[in-house]
Amino acid sequence: GAISLQAGETVTCTFNDQKDAFIIVDKVTDPAGDLTIFDFDTDYDSGDIDLADATTPNNSGDLDPGLYSVAENVPAGWDLTSATCDDGSPVGAISLQAGETVTCTFTNQADAFIIVEKQTDPDGDPTVFDFDLSYGSGDADLSDGQTDNSGDLAPGLYSVAENVPAGWDLTSATCDDGSPVGAISLQAGETVTCTFSNQADANIVVVKQTDPDGDPTSFEFDPSYASNFFLTDGNSN
């Protein structure tokens, strides 16, 4: 701005420019559009970022070339399924070059669960019912009113089957998302409750007694629940 040029002198003025460089942090969730706020620690700018899936990705603003890091504080109820930068750098050591824009994407999946619930008629029966599961330990044992929680599962198809004990009928087996119990379609962030209802067998016994005892007469009975039958003294249906 004030070059003092002398007779016979050649003055060379050199201008050095560095192209702006940026780090973009993008938040992706499964299920998409979730409003949960995720907190990030950075070693540039203010050192803190808060993003949700629908939020505009965070732009660092112009940074000098160098190594930088971004770390997510994963909230309860979520799994961090991937954290990648489009230049191949690890998120903990982002190699930023002059003129480069590096986008680092953090993808989280919401926890998903299957709840198996047992109901009996009569209510409160202590019988223990055995279930075969396609997840976890593969087995659950439940009596009336008890539930089994799968723990966090990846989205996918799962199945639950009850081994019906003698003396019981399985009257219904339904899942609250509409899935059949043999093909439960579990989505990220979903809790599916499958309820198995059993009814204890019930019987009517008709016993025939005569006076005099041992009379051979055959008596006909007309039940409302079955076809007619005949009994003699001491016999039962």
Side-chain angles (χ1 to χ4, degrees):
I3 303 164
S4 177
L5 188 65
Q6 308 303 315
E9 186 180 24
T10 297
V11 177
T12 300
C13 298
T14 304
F15 291 77
N16 291 318
D17 293 81
Q18 187 180 79
K19 197 169 185 180
D20 292 349
F22 307 91
I23 295 174
I24 307 294
V25 178
D26 190 18
K27 175 77 254 157
V28 176
T29 62
D30 182 13
D34 193 276
L35 299 179
T36 301
I37 302 295
F38 293 78
D39 177 68
F40 294 86
D41 295 329
T42 69
D43 62 357
Y44 56 83
D45 198 27
S46 67
D48 181 77
I49 300 171
D50 295 304
L51 294 174
D53 184 46
T55 306
T56 301
N58 177 269
N59 189 320
S60 64
D62 180 29
L63 295 173
D64 291 332
L67 281 179
Y68 296 94
S69 68
V70 180
E72 180 185 273
N73 300 305
V74 182
W78 291 86
D79 297 317
L80 178 62
T81 54
S82 71
T84 59
C85 297
D86 62 2
D87 71 337
S89 294
V91 294
I94 304 164
S95 179
L96 188 65
Q97 309 303 314
E100 185 180 29
T101 296
V102 176
T103 298
C104 297
T105 304
F106 290 76
T107 303
N108 294 69
Q109 187 178 81
D111 292 348
F113 307 90
I114 295 174
I115 307 294
V116 179
E117 181 179 337
K118 177 75 249 159
Q119 293 294 332
T120 63
D121 181 12
D123 191 45
D125 192 279
T127 302
V128 175
F129 295 77
D130 176 68
F131 293 86
D132 293 330
L133 316 173
S134 66
Y135 53 85
S137 67
D139 180 78
D141 297 301
L142 301 172
S143 58
D144 183 49
Q146 292 185 328
T147 59
D148 177 81
N149 187 321
S150 64
D152 181 27
L153 296 173
L157 281 179
Y158 298 93
S159 66
V160 180
E162 180 184 271
N163 299 306
V164 182
W168 290 88
D169 296 317
L170 179 62
T171 54
S172 71
T174 59
C175 297
D176 61 4
D177 71 336
S179 295
V181 294
I184 303 165
S185 179
L186 188 65
Q187 310 302 313
E190 184 179 29
T191 297
V192 176
T193 299
C194 297
T195 304
F196 289 75
S197 298
N198 294 68
Q199 186 178 77
D201 293 348
N203 304 276
I204 296 174
V205 179
V206 179
V207 180
K208 180 72 246 164
Q209 293 293 335
T210 63
D211 182 10
D213 190 44
D215 191 279
T217 303
S218 181
F219 295 79
E220 183 179 7
F221 293 83
D222 183 9
S224 65
Y225 51 84
S227 58
N228 288 13
F229 58 88
F230 294 85
L231 293 175
T232 57
D233 183 48
N235 291 323
S236 62
N237 175 278

